[in-house]
Amino acid sequence: MRITHVIYDLDGLLLDTERLYTEATRDIARRYGKTFDWSLKSRMMGRHELEAAQLLVETLELPITAEMAAVLGGRRSPAEAVDVLMGRKQRAEADR
């Protein structure tokens, strides 16, 4: 089969991904006994991924890095997640 068309949904028009990100972020907060509410979500919206993750970590005083929050929230590709979880050097060694 030959692919002839590709549809990009970058703003949530076709797929409601915002709900999934919200649930994932709530799960992260719950892991550490914190609450992710609308007041924080509204401040995170429209920001770049790591900037939003940093705001989450700082506001809720989470014991993780912004990079880890982005991985746990599912906003990173699998390869990027491995980079954060394993460290770039270990991944380079694993690829050999």
Side-chain angles (χ1 to χ4, degrees), residues 11-90:
D11 64 355
L13 180 65
L14 299 175
L15 300 173
D16 182 14
T17 54
E18 188 62 35
R19 179 183 56 80
L20 299 175
Y21 287 129
T22 299
E23 289 175 15
T25 305
R26 277 192 189 129
D27 288 345
I28 293 168
R30 276 191 210 121
R31 282 184 200 179
Y32 299 102
K34 307 291 182 167
T35 301
F36 177 67
D37 60 16
W38 173 250
S39 65
L40 178 53
K41 179 179 175 166
S42 66
R43 292 174 42 215
M44 292 172 60
M45 291 172 69
R47 296 177 186 257
H48 288 214
E49 167 197 357
L50 284 179
E51 185 182 353
Q54 187 64 42
L55 182 60
L56 174 75
V57 168
E58 289 175 0
T59 302
L60 297 182
E61 299 177 339
L62 301 178
I64 58 175
T65 64
E67 290 83 4
M68 182 60 78
V71 167
L72 293 173
R75 294 182 183 259
R76 292 281 178 110
S77 72
E80 289 174 314
V82 169
D83 281 345
V84 172
L85 295 172
M86 291 179 58
R88 285 172 176 27
K89 181 178 177 184
Q90 290 176 333

